[in-house]
Amino acid sequence: MVAGVVVVGVLAMVALGVHLQQKVEERFTGQLWQLPSVVYARELVLQPGAKIRYDEALKELETLGYQAVKAPARSGEYKASRLQLEFVRRPFTFKEGQETERHVVVRFDYSSVKSIHEWVTRDGKPQQRELGILRIEPKMLGMLEAKTTEQRIYLPKDKMPQALVDALLVTEDRHFYEHDGVSVVAIARAFVANLKAGRTVQGGSTLTQQLAKNMFLSSERSLWRKIKEAYMALLIDYQFDKDQILDAYLNQVYLAQSGRQAVHGFALGARYYFGRPLSELRVDQLALLAGLVKGPSYYNPWRYPERAKGRRDLVLQLMVENQLIDEKDYKIAISRPLDLQAKGQLSQRQPAYFDQLRRELTEEVGEKFESGKGLRLFTTLDPLSQQKAEQAVREMMPKLDKKAGKSLETAVVIADRMTGEIRAMVGGSKPGFAGFNRAIDAKRQIGSVVKPAIYLAALAQPTRFSLATTLADKPLVLKGDKGEEWKPRNYDRQYRGAVPLYQALAKSYNIPTVNLGMAVGLDDVIATMEKLGVDRQEIPPLPSMLLGAFTLTPFEVTQMYQTIASGGRKAPLKALSAVVNGEGEVIFQQLPVSSQAVPVQAAWLTMYGLQKTVTEGTARYLNQQLPSSRLAGKTGTSDKGRDSWYVGVDGREVVTVWVGRDDNASSSLTGSSGALRLYADYVLRRDPEPLILKQPAQISMFDYQQSANQTYQQACLGQHQLPAWDPQGNLKLTCVKKVQSFLHDLFSW
């Protein structure tokens, strides 16, 4: 009878062993974890002559968490002096491959990079060598969720700081390399300690047992679970070497809860608690991470700082007692504060931008994008632009709400002026809220932001139109095919008789714009909009479209203005730059591409008019704030004040801002009193790059005389100057003929 029970028991244990061994083999020989895709911002590239100012590069280092020191020596440290930055660039695996840390000195003049030098050792002596280019590692933006609540960044054991491994082993399992997965000595020691205390004060589990529990078992407190845990620890220890087991533990250990996401592994834990890479943490910070293994909630350093400091100092004490650090370093370490970041976070949330990123992954990468495989996504986001846009929204929306007396929403899209790369995106008045993305999904009437496309269509016909062309500004009635009448009006309800074309654009007069659009022809205007990047199907072939009586998203508006602002070169707006798999293979990459969509001369003249909008037109408030930046822009207000728009252009970016209400009720704001104010707040924070437009061929400056009715007539010695596209030299010839005629009359008497 007894023998039968024993046999059954043995067979049961064998069966259990086979089952558990199968589970272990399946997990350890396959992919251990579902790894999220890590998302990075754009990388900043420095090279002599690059139009990157000293303060921009300094802000980049600060955004990346570099630490200011007197003498940079370690990765992630910098020293700033007048027009010079010395720093140790972190090692980073770019999409092209791994680059080691570099100790560099970058010098600037007032508007660009002057020189780059690297400290190297030659013949035992430190000296500087000149570099032609330097890439600064991109900021980690966050992760696209894998199909799991666990988040981690895998980092192999051999890249973990040795001080962290030492702290973990001396605290949790000092005989790790000696036992076979289960330590009888540790169990006995824990039993005695708990017996003396009359309660559980010490555990006897090895790191291998903890790994088995965390990876395969629940947290229930039962003898059966402990038996399975020990059994699996023995199997793991038998099948895999110690370094493999420790590698798995270092990346599996639970360290915090960030909302619905569990933070696993020391690499991600370092970013959660300190906002820095694991390799840059001091020994006291590493000791805190090792100490948190015992209970991340109980030792939560923000909630219980004294408790966490006590645990950290205990780990440091064990390290000095076991001669892992010396007495001097120990005393320095325990004297330090916890030095945490303000709050636990894995990254700043950019839900609108990530929404665009997911769409591009679906459209461009398709099945090559595998969730949970630890892919690395390189994007075009500029961390500084995103940060300043979010700050502007948080600052200005409550003020606009107060002014409008309504519950307002907003959207912001920022793109590189030349490349079309999306630098930032905000989808609502609460930038961190992942709700309806108004930047790419909200179709709203665009009002007067349509006008530059109409003026560009006219200026593309230089034999018919110029910036000085006279446009009628009188009451206008247009009749439809069925006899219906349309009576457009200027916003101020006034009429000026006639105005020059550039002034009609700068001051956003409706009647002159309609007259111009009808003279150009609706078909030509629509064709021009299509060339600028607007879907023809979105544009109704009706005269009212000349005043923006149709809907586009802020994203679509940005595309239209990017084409104009770049000299007529359309560059499709993109957020995704490259996708790299776990083996370092680039599985997708797209470089900025552009093509000439409209004549460069017509685009340049339109931008000239949009600069006049800032200096003397509807956006002159902006010129009061930044009079020397030569900014360009266009305000827009839809019917009954439902939508407030502003599109601003500096030398760096095209920025589209929309403000309105989701229920389409009036916002009580114009483009000038609403969206423009938010843009102004942003551009003041971002420090704009002056918009210097290189004058293209066949554009010349001509003199004009202002007539009594305020219109302009060409004159050889006029009071005003305006640029004009003169492909055949007719305007210049006209003036020459007048001078020749004058001289002939003068000397022929």
Side-chain angles (χ1 to χ4, degrees):
M1 181 70 176
V2 174
V5 172
V6 171
V7 170
V8 171
V10 170
L11 291 175
M13 292 301 292
V14 170
L16 176 63
V18 171
H19 172 69
L20 295 179
Q21 183 176 3
Q22 185 178 4
K23 289 182 67 175
V24 169
E25 285 182 352
E26 286 176 355
R27 189 76 181 268
F28 271 82
T29 57
Q31 183 177 318
L32 273 175
W33 307 283
Q34 284 281 313
L35 296 174
S37 297
V38 182
V39 182
Y40 295 95
R42 62 95 184 94
E43 62 193 50
L44 186 65
V45 180
L46 304 178
Q47 55 189 65
K51 294 296 182 182
I52 299 171
R53 299 192 299 271
Y54 162 80
D55 58 331
E56 287 184 75
L58 176 57
K59 288 176 183 176
E60 183 81 11
L61 295 181
E62 292 171 344
T63 300
L64 290 170
Y66 277 65
Q67 303 294 302
V69 296
K70 292 182 179 180
R74 299 178 62 216
S75 170
E77 295 181 340
Y78 79 93
K79 176 185 177 182
S81 53
R82 187 174 181 274
L83 296 180
Q84 177 175 300
L85 291 172
E86 180 180 358
F87 59 96
V88 181
R89 199 278 315 275
R90 292 174 177 137
F92 186 78
T93 304
F94 294 89
K95 55 180 175 289
E96 295 83 2
Q98 173 72 31
E99 290 192 15
T100 59
E101 68 178 40
R102 308 186 84 161
H103 188 166
V104 298
V105 178
V106 183
R107 297 177 178 88
F108 299 81
D109 57 26
Y110 288 99
S111 61
S112 62
V113 178
K114 186 177 181 181
S115 66
I116 307 171
H117 290 82
E118 179 181 19
W119 281 108
V120 295
T121 301
R122 289 178 180 168
D123 300 325
K125 296 181 180 179
Q127 55 184 278
Q128 291 186 7
R129 69 171 182 179
E130 190 169 4
L131 295 178
I133 191 169
L134 175 72
R135 295 186 297 177
I136 300 178
E137 80 281 0
K139 179 180 176 62
M140 191 186 93
L141 301 177
M143 290 165 283
L144 288 181
E145 296 80 1
K147 296 174 182 178
T148 175
T149 58
E150 294 185 3
Q151 297 285 8
R152 61 172 54 78
I153 300 175
Y154 175 73
L155 188 68
K157 171 188 169 293
D158 59 9
K159 292 188 178 181
M160 298 267 185
Q162 187 58 44
L164 172 67
V165 178
D166 291 341
L168 178 68
L169 293 179
V170 78
T171 308
E172 294 292 325
D173 192 353
R174 66 187 66 183
H175 299 295
F176 173 75
Y177 282 98
E178 300 162 17
H179 61 65
D180 296 320
V182 176
S183 173
V184 177
V185 174
I187 293 171
R189 184 173 60 245
F191 177 77
V192 172
N194 295 338
L195 194 63
K196 288 181 178 179
R199 58 189 176 89
T200 302
V201 295
Q202 185 173 325
S205 296
T206 64
L207 289 184
T208 316
Q209 286 176 267
Q210 293 179 38
L211 179 64
K213 182 188 73 172
N214 292 336
M215 290 187 70
F216 301 102
L217 304 171
S218 68
S219 299
E220 68 168 313
R221 293 179 176 271
S222 69
L223 179 60
W224 180 238
R225 197 268 292 166
K226 291 294 291 183
I227 291 172
K228 288 194 291 183
E229 174 189 300
Y231 206 158
M232 295 187 88
L234 291 169
L235 291 171
I236 292 171
D237 194 87
Y238 176 76
Q239 290 183 268
F240 304 97
D241 66 45
K242 291 291 187 178
D243 284 343
Q244 284 180 290
I245 297 169
L246 191 53
D247 183 289
Y249 185 91
L250 292 166
N251 288 282
Q252 172 63 30
V253 62
Y254 171 75
L255 291 174
Q257 191 70 30
S258 178
R260 292 178 294 177
Q261 303 298 323
V263 178
H264 285 260
F266 287 107
L268 191 56
R271 292 187 179 272
Y272 180 78
Y273 286 103
F274 301 104
R276 305 187 71 195
L278 187 61
S279 60
E280 295 178 13
L281 300 189
R282 303 185 304 264
V283 67
D284 57 292
Q285 295 169 317
L286 296 172
L288 176 61
L289 288 179
L292 287 170
V293 170
K294 186 175 182 181
S297 297
Y298 184 79
Y299 294 105
N300 184 315
W302 290 286
R303 185 173 296 177
Y304 310 111
E306 292 302 319
R307 191 183 289 176
K309 187 176 185 301
R311 178 65 180 168
R312 180 202 71 177
D313 292 350
L314 174 61
V315 174
L316 291 167
Q317 181 182 337
L318 291 172
M319 293 180 75
V320 73
E321 288 174 355
N322 286 271
Q323 299 180 341
L324 297 171
I325 57 174
D326 59 33
E327 189 71 28
K328 179 183 177 183
D329 288 339
Y330 166 70
K331 289 181 178 178
I332 293 173
I334 62 172
S335 69
R336 292 186 184 276
L338 293 178
D339 273 355
L340 305 160
Q341 60 178 338
K343 64 178 181 178
Q345 57 185 20
L346 301 178
S347 64
Q348 295 287 342
R349 288 177 57 81
Q350 301 92 17
Y353 195 91
F354 273 42
D355 188 13
Q356 173 65 22
L357 192 61
R358 288 187 185 92
R359 297 181 191 207
E360 290 188 30
L361 283 168
T362 300
E363 295 170 3
E364 305 286 354
V365 185
E367 294 180 357
K368 289 184 179 180
F369 177 73
E370 296 183 84
S371 177
K373 295 294 185 180
L375 301 181
R376 302 167 72 233
L377 311 181
F378 294 89
T379 75
T380 63
L381 183 137
D382 185 318
L384 194 58
S385 293
Q386 182 71 36
Q387 179 192 70
K388 300 307 180 186
E390 292 180 6
Q391 289 174 351
V393 168
R394 292 190 179 100
E395 174 70 20
M396 291 304 299
M397 288 309 293
K399 294 180 180 179
L400 295 179
D401 257 341
K402 189 175 181 180
K403 182 189 296 186
K406 305 290 184 181
S407 180
L408 295 176
E409 278 297 344
T410 189
V412 181
V413 179
I414 303 176
D416 185 278
R417 180 171 71 93
M418 301 304 296
T419 68
E421 294 172 309
I422 304 173
R423 298 305 187 199
M425 187 179 287
V426 178
S429 60
K430 298 178 181 177
F433 179 68
F436 179 56
N437 189 351
R438 295 163 186 83
I440 54 181
D441 288 327
K443 286 189 172 293
R444 306 291 299 216
Q445 281 208 3
I446 62 173
S448 292
V449 294
V450 74
K451 289 177 180 175
I454 300 162
Y455 285 79
L456 188 149
L459 293 167
Q461 303 178 38
T463 57
R464 294 182 63 197
F465 303 100
S466 73
L467 293 176
T469 297
T470 299
L471 301 177
D473 185 16
K474 300 175 182 178
L476 179 65
V477 179
L478 295 178
K479 291 187 177 182
D481 295 338
K482 297 180 180 180
E484 67 275 15
E485 293 185 345
W486 182 50
K487 299 178 180 179
R489 295 181 296 181
N490 291 324
Y491 183 78
D492 61 5
R493 305 297 191 266
Q494 296 180 21
Y495 302 96
R496 295 154 188 85
V499 293
L501 182 146
Y502 90 89
Q503 194 175 91
L505 174 59
K507 298 191 175 182
S508 200
Y509 294 143
N510 288 341
I511 300 301
T513 300
V514 173
N515 283 322
L516 180 64
M518 296 303 292
V520 172
L522 294 183
D523 288 343
D524 282 355
V525 171
I526 292 172
T528 297
M529 291 184 189
E530 186 175 27
K531 292 175 183 177
L532 296 176
V534 179
D535 184 353
R536 175 183 283 267
Q537 301 302 315
E538 304 283 351
I539 312 168
L542 301 170
S544 59
M545 71 89 173
L546 298 170
L547 298 183
F550 64 97
T551 63
L552 293 178
T553 66
F555 184 93
E556 292 169 320
V557 170
T558 307
Q559 180 69 79
M560 181 172 72
Y561 274 79
Q562 180 279 321
T563 308
I564 299 172
S566 63
R569 296 191 65 85
K570 177 187 171 187
L573 303 189
K574 294 293 182 182
L576 181 63
S577 175
V579 180
V580 180
N581 66 19
E583 289 71 48
E585 177 188 1
V586 178
I587 62 174
F588 172 79
Q589 185 170 9
Q590 59 182 352
L591 300 175
V593 293
S594 64
S595 58
Q596 197 70 44
V598 294
V600 60
Q601 294 88 351
W604 189 90
L605 290 170
T606 304
M607 288 300 295
Y608 181 92
L610 293 178
Q611 286 183 314
K612 290 291 186 182
T613 301
V614 175
T615 56
E616 60 188 69
T618 57
R620 57 188 177 276
Y621 166 81
L622 194 58
N623 198 53
Q624 298 167 10
Q625 309 298 311
L626 293 160
S628 61
S629 292
R630 303 175 68 174
L631 301 175
K634 184 70 189 75
T635 56
T637 311
S638 70
D639 187 41
K640 298 182 180 179
R642 292 186 177 97
D643 303 278
S644 169
W645 292 87
Y646 186 74
V647 185
V649 184
D650 71 340
R652 181 192 304 115
E653 298 170 334
V654 175
V655 182
T656 298
V657 180
W658 167 84
V659 175
R661 292 188 60 186
D662 285 342
D663 63 6
N664 211 31
S666 174
S667 69
S668 303
L669 297 171
T670 64
S672 298
S673 64
L676 172 61
R677 303 308 168 108
L678 197 157
Y679 173 78
D681 187 274
Y682 164 75
V683 80
L684 284 166
R685 295 173 187 272
R686 185 62 179 90
D687 192 12
E689 183 179 310
L691 178 59
I692 300 172
L693 301 170
K694 184 180 179 181
Q695 188 168 305
Q698 301 179 353
I699 295 282
S700 301
M701 298 298 294
F702 295 96
D703 286 330
Y704 292 89
Q705 189 77 34
Q706 191 171 20
S707 62
N709 66 354
Q710 305 302 306
T711 59
Y712 283 49
Q713 301 296 327
Q714 188 182 359
C716 290
L717 297 172
Q719 300 170 327
H720 303 276
Q721 276 197 329
L722 286 174
W725 182 9
D726 189 20
Q728 306 301 325
N730 294 330
L731 295 177
K732 192 175 294 184
L733 185 62
T734 299
C735 190
V736 170
K737 284 182 176 179
K738 286 182 178 180
V739 173
Q740 290 175 339
S741 176
F742 171 77
L743 293 174
H744 179 271
D745 292 342
L746 182 65
F747 294 106
S748 63
W749 58 274

